[in-house]
Amino acid sequence: MRRLVVLLLAALPLLAIAEPTVPALELVTSSSDGKTWSVSLQVLLLMTALTLLPSLALAATSFTRIVIVLAILRQAIGMPQTPPNQVLVGLALFLSFFVMGPVLDEVYANGVKPYMEGTIQLDAAASAAEKPLRAFMLGQVREPDLELFAGLAGHEEYATPEAVPMSVLLPSFMTSELKTAFQIGFLTFIPFLIIDLVVSSVLMSMGMMMLSPMLISLPFKIMLFVLVDGWSLVMGTLAASFAT
């Protein structure tokens, strides 16, 4: 079951561009000279994968780190609703596709494509699809987090990275991603916090106690972010943070 879930996660973004080998609907003639439509197993697996896709996309890809950093950045600028959630999630999603592109290409070439061509069985395809995803997660996971969940599961030290079960690797990977996201978000927050402190100090020294510092600092933070080409810096830093 675990390998089937991994294969479905890897195959779903590529099913739209792959040539189907099994018809979605097949007209079957019954013994009573009637005809009925039969839904293929491929469509059934696809519909099952659609229900699991959101949680799997959060658990096994770079989406978690990216969306958290972008949310912290929006809060640091001082505009909690700008960009809107749809834009923020869209940025995180497509940047995740960019980061995960080489992994998905390897999954498709080694597991999904041979399986759809009928050259390998499901178990072999799932094993081949799992390897690049496992390598990606092991490259980002922190050793203390891995040891924590291994201890909670009652496992001893693993001899090889391939011996780490997905039930331990997935929560370890997500915990590591949360830590890394908050570290990057902290560094992103500092310049905007300095601007808020400076503006607040100036207003207090001038005796303008009734004027909100956030109202004055917001244009300066936006101007600073635009002048340093902030979106390119943030997106580039996020993409580069996954290099191993």
Side-chain angles (χ1 to χ4, degrees), residues 163-177:
V164 181
M166 292 295 289
S167 59
V168 173
L169 181 57
L170 279 173
S172 303
F173 172 74
M174 293 195 68
T175 304
S176 299
E177 287 295 283

Side-chain angles (χ1 to χ4, degrees), residues 15-216:
L15 286 176
I17 61 175
E19 296 181 359
T21 58
V22 181
L25 294 175
E26 183 179 358
L27 189 61
V28 180
T29 303
S30 63
S31 58
S32 59
D33 295 332
K35 293 183 178 181
T36 59
W37 291 98
S38 175
V39 181
S40 67
L41 179 61
Q42 180 177 343
V43 176
L44 179 61
L45 293 176
L46 177 61
M47 298 303 296
T48 304
L50 286 175
T51 62
L52 299 175
L53 181 61
S55 59
L56 292 176
L58 291 175
T61 67
S62 58
F63 181 83
T64 301
R65 181 189 305 185
I66 295 172
V67 75
I68 289 177
V69 172
L70 293 179
I72 293 176
L73 172 64
R74 182 175 66 175
Q75 190 70 29
I77 295 176
M79 298 183 296
Q81 302 299 326
T82 306
N85 291 332
Q86 294 86 345
V87 175
L88 211 65
V89 172
L91 285 173
L93 183 62
F94 285 106
L95 186 58
S96 298
F97 276 121
F98 173 78
V99 172
M100 300 295 296
V103 178
L104 295 178
D105 290 341
E106 187 177 352
V107 167
Y108 178 72
N110 297 338
V112 178
K113 185 177 180 181
Y115 174 71
M116 297 184 70
E117 292 176 348
T119 57
I120 60 176
Q121 298 299 321
L122 179 61
D123 290 344
S127 299
E130 181 181 339
K131 289 180 181 179
L133 288 173
R134 175 183 290 273
F136 171 78
M137 288 189 285
L138 286 173
Q140 304 299 324
V141 72
R142 299 169 185 263
E143 186 174 350
D145 297 327
L146 193 60
E147 293 176 353
L148 169 65
F149 284 96
L152 292 175
H155 297 166
E156 300 294 335
E157 184 177 353
Y158 302 108
T160 60
E162 290 74 15
V164 181
M166 292 295 289
S167 59
V168 173
L169 181 57
L170 279 173
S172 303
F173 172 74
M174 293 195 68
T175 304
S176 299
E177 287 295 283
L178 289 172
K179 291 181 180 179
T180 304
F182 275 85
Q183 288 177 352
I184 299 175
F186 171 78
L187 296 177
T188 305
F189 209 106
I190 293 300
F192 301 103
L193 180 61
I194 293 176
I195 293 178
D196 287 333
L197 291 175
V198 171
V199 171
S200 179
S201 299
V202 171
L203 291 178
M204 290 184 64
S205 64
M206 296 175 62
M208 304 176 67
M209 309 295 296
M210 302 301 296
L211 186 60
S212 173
M214 295 295 296
L215 183 64
I216 304 300

